[in-house]
Each structure stands twice: as C-alpha cells, then as structure tokens.
C-alpha cells in the first residue's frame, strides 16, 4: 500500500486498508457497507481508539488500545498508566509508563499522583487495564473524585457517558465507595441495596446522580467501543473470532 494510503488508519479497527472503498480488512475482517441498517451496525460498532474522558488530557482504554502505538500517537498520547501489574509495557522508548503494583486493592493515591504529574506537564495520558471495563475506569473515577470534587455517582456517570462499555464489578465498586468516604466523609447510596443505572446521564454539576448496576459476567472485547460522541459508521464483519476471556470483569481475587 502506498504511503499516502497509510496516513489515515481505519477509525474502526485501526488497520490500514481501503475501508472507504468497501475493501475487507485482511486482519479483522470488517468492511464498510452501504445500507440503512444503522442500528444493527451500531450494535457491533467498535473502535481501536482510546476513549477521551477529559479533552486533551485523560484517555481510557484496554490493552488492545495500549498496543496500538501509531493510534496513540495520533491522539497525542505520550504517557501510559498501566493498571495491570502483569501486563507488559510494549513501547518503553516511545511512551512514559507507570505500572501500578498491588495485590487486591487498587492503589488510587499512587495512580492519582502520576495523573496529576501528567496534567502538570500538559501530557496526554492513557489509563488502561485488559478490557478497559472495570479497573482502569475505577482509577479514572477516583481521579475525578479527588481532583474535581465529584462524588462517585457523578464520576461514574461521566465516565460511562464517554465510554459506554464500562462495567464495574462489585469488588472494585466497593473500593471506590471506600475511597469516596475517605475523601468526602460520606457515601452516596440509594439505600435500597444494589443501585440501578439510569441512562439519562447527569452532568457532574447536576443534583441527581444514580450509581451503577454491576455486571460480573466474564466478557471481553477485541476492540474498544467508541465514545458516545463518535460519528456512527456502518460495516459488516467478514471474519468473526471468539474473544478470549480477560480478567478485567472478574473479581479482584482473580485478577
């Protein structure tokens, strides 16, 4: 493929192919289609780009996102916060890494210290775990609580709005509740046991905020779902592979 054709990677899978011309990707098997079945296409829409949580600074994603150096650079990301101790840092010569070390409890203070330094240096940073659904979103929520003064429910809804695939497991959520109590001295809860999530998202300054519903099933995705403001595209998959289970949606005991 000629150089000018490699300047713009596909916004869906991140690979270089003539997706606008309907060419099937030789790596993941998807292609663009012309049709009106937008809902069906949206249901399986995936993105190789990390989700932008705070404009021009904080990004959230999976190990798959962290493994795509060219796409990270295209988003201006120069720092990576690795939330999985056993996960390899792939591009040490290209990015500044900080890998969290812990057994059971997420080290929120350590992560926040690194993120605050990145913000001070005006550096864009990716926070990632394996699937980008539980542990790395929890780190981002803890950062929002500590630095923005948002309560847990408000931080959750902000992150969920910008990355709809977020599914905190109960152990991680309880750790966030403890962190919320540490910061604010109280915990917001509906008082009715397991809270439910309203998809009419509230902004952090709104008075109404609803905590999340948990999903402890083991699910994984090869590619990261897009942020909510990403333009929709239509495609079909020429090759479907069954994704391997990742530990991100399992309780912390199995991480």
């Amino acid at each position: 493929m000629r150089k000018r054709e490699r300047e713009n990677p596909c916004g869906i899978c991140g690979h270089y192919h003539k997706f606008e011309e309907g060419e099937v990707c030789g790596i993941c098997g998807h292609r663009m289609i012309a049709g009106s079945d937008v809902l069906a296409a949206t249901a399986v829409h995936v993105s190789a780009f990390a989700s932008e949580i705070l404009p021009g600074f904080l990004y959230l994603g999976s190990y798959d996102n962290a493994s795509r150096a060219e796409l990270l650079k295209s988003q201006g990301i120069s720092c990576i916060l690795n939330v999985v101790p056993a996960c390899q840092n792939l591009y040490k010569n290209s990015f500044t890494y900080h890998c969290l070390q812990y057994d059971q409890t997420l080290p929120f203070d350590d992560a926040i210290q690194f993120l605050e330094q990145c913000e001070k240096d005006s550096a864009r940073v990716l926070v990632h775990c394996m699937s980008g659904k539980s542990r790395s979103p929890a780190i981002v929520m803890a950062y929002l609580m500590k630095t923005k003064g948002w309560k847990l429910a408000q931080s959750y809804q902000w992150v969920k709005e910008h990355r709809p695939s977020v599914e905190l497991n109960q152990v991680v959520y309880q750790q966030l509740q403890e962190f919320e109590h540490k910061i604010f001295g109280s915990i917001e809860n509906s008082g009715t046991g397991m809270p439910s999530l309203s998809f009419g998202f509230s902004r952090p300054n709104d008075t109404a905020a609803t905590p999340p519903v948990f999903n402890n099933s083991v699910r994984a995705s090869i590619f990261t779902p897009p942020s909510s403001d990403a333009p929709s595209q239509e495609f079909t998959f020429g090759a479907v592979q069954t994704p391997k289970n990742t530990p991100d949606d399992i309780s912390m005991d199995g991480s």
Side-chain angles (χ1 to χ4, degrees), residues 159-178:
V159 175
K160 180 73 174 179
E161 181 178 0
H162 289 76
R163 187 175 176 82
S165 64
V166 168
E167 295 177 355
L168 298 179
N169 68 52
Q170 188 166 5
V171 173
V172 167
Y173 182 71
Q174 288 174 346
Q175 292 180 18
L176 282 170
Q177 284 186 312
E178 294 171 0

Side-chain angles (χ1 to χ4, degrees), residues 103-172:
D103 292 324
Q104 299 294 330
T105 304
L106 288 167
F108 294 127
D109 291 328
D110 183 18
I112 291 171
Q113 183 177 1
F114 177 74
L115 293 176
E116 286 180 328
Q117 186 61 48
C118 291
E119 186 174 27
K120 181 179 179 180
D121 296 339
S122 299
R124 299 190 181 195
V125 56
L126 167 70
V127 182
H128 82 87
C129 50
M130 287 305 295
S131 64
K133 292 183 178 181
S134 186
R135 285 176 288 177
S136 54
I139 293 295
V140 171
M141 292 174 203
Y143 174 82
L144 296 177
M145 284 193 285
K146 182 67 177 292
T147 63
K148 303 296 183 183
W150 300 349
K151 292 297 185 71
L152 174 55
Q154 296 168 322
S155 299
Y156 174 87
Q157 289 189 346
W158 180 267
V159 175
K160 180 73 174 179
E161 181 178 0
H162 289 76
R163 187 175 176 82
S165 64
V166 168
E167 295 177 355
L168 298 179
N169 68 52
Q170 188 166 5
V171 173
V172 167

Side-chain angles (χ1 to χ4, degrees), residues 2-255:
R2 289 173 295 181
K3 182 177 179 180
R4 67 171 179 269
E5 294 175 338
R6 294 179 57 83
E7 293 177 351
N8 297 311
C10 173
I12 298 172
C13 68
H15 303 134
Y16 295 96
H17 63 106
K18 299 178 181 179
F19 58 97
E20 292 181 346
E21 299 177 13
E23 179 187 54
V24 176
C25 178
I27 300 176
C28 70
H30 102 271
R31 69 177 176 85
M32 300 293 291
I33 61 172
S36 59
D37 195 2
V38 178
L39 292 178
T42 303
V44 293
H45 182 93
V46 291
S47 174
F49 292 89
S51 304
E52 187 176 43
I53 305 300
L54 295 178
F57 167 56
L58 187 57
Y59 295 79
L60 176 59
S62 64
Y63 181 69
D64 180 74
N65 296 128
S67 67
R68 298 171 180 271
E70 292 185 18
L71 299 191
L72 295 179
K73 291 178 181 178
S74 73
Q75 291 182 284
I77 294 171
S78 60
C79 299
I80 297 178
L81 178 58
N82 182 355
V83 185
V84 186
C87 187
Q88 182 181 5
N89 298 323
L90 299 174
Y91 308 106
K92 294 182 180 180
N93 294 330
S94 300
F95 302 96
T96 299
Y97 283 91
H98 184 69
C99 187
L100 299 181
Q101 301 296 328
Y102 59 96
D103 292 324
Q104 299 294 330
T105 304
L106 288 167
F108 294 127
D109 291 328
D110 183 18
I112 291 171
Q113 183 177 1
F114 177 74
L115 293 176
E116 286 180 328
Q117 186 61 48
C118 291
E119 186 174 27
K120 181 179 179 180
D121 296 339
S122 299
R124 299 190 181 195
V125 56
L126 167 70
V127 182
H128 82 87
C129 50
M130 287 305 295
S131 64
K133 292 183 178 181
S134 186
R135 285 176 288 177
S136 54
I139 293 295
V140 171
M141 292 174 203
Y143 174 82
L144 296 177
M145 284 193 285
K146 182 67 177 292
T147 63
K148 303 296 183 183
W150 300 349
K151 292 297 185 71
L152 174 55
Q154 296 168 322
S155 299
Y156 174 87
Q157 289 189 346
W158 180 267
V159 175
K160 180 73 174 179
E161 181 178 0
H162 289 76
R163 187 175 176 82
S165 64
V166 168
E167 295 177 355
L168 298 179
N169 68 52
Q170 188 166 5
V171 173
V172 167
Y173 182 71
Q174 288 174 346
Q175 292 180 18
L176 282 170
Q177 284 186 312
E178 294 171 0
F179 190 70
E180 179 185 35
H181 185 270
K182 176 182 176 181
I183 297 175
F184 302 107
S186 62
I187 297 176
E188 285 189 353
N189 204 318
S190 60
T192 58
M194 192 75 71
S196 60
L197 172 66
S198 170
F199 285 92
F201 295 108
S202 301
R203 294 289 177 176
N205 292 330
D206 294 345
T207 57
T210 309
V213 62
F214 304 112
N215 188 327
N216 291 322
S217 61
V218 180
R219 293 167 53 192
S221 174
I222 297 177
F223 303 112
T224 305
S227 57
S228 58
D229 56 354
S232 61
Q233 301 184 57
E234 300 180 12
F235 64 89
T236 58
F237 281 88
V240 178
Q241 297 181 348
T242 302
K244 297 181 179 179
N245 293 334
T246 62
D248 196 60
D249 297 315
I250 309 174
S251 69
M252 295 295 294
D253 295 334
S255 297

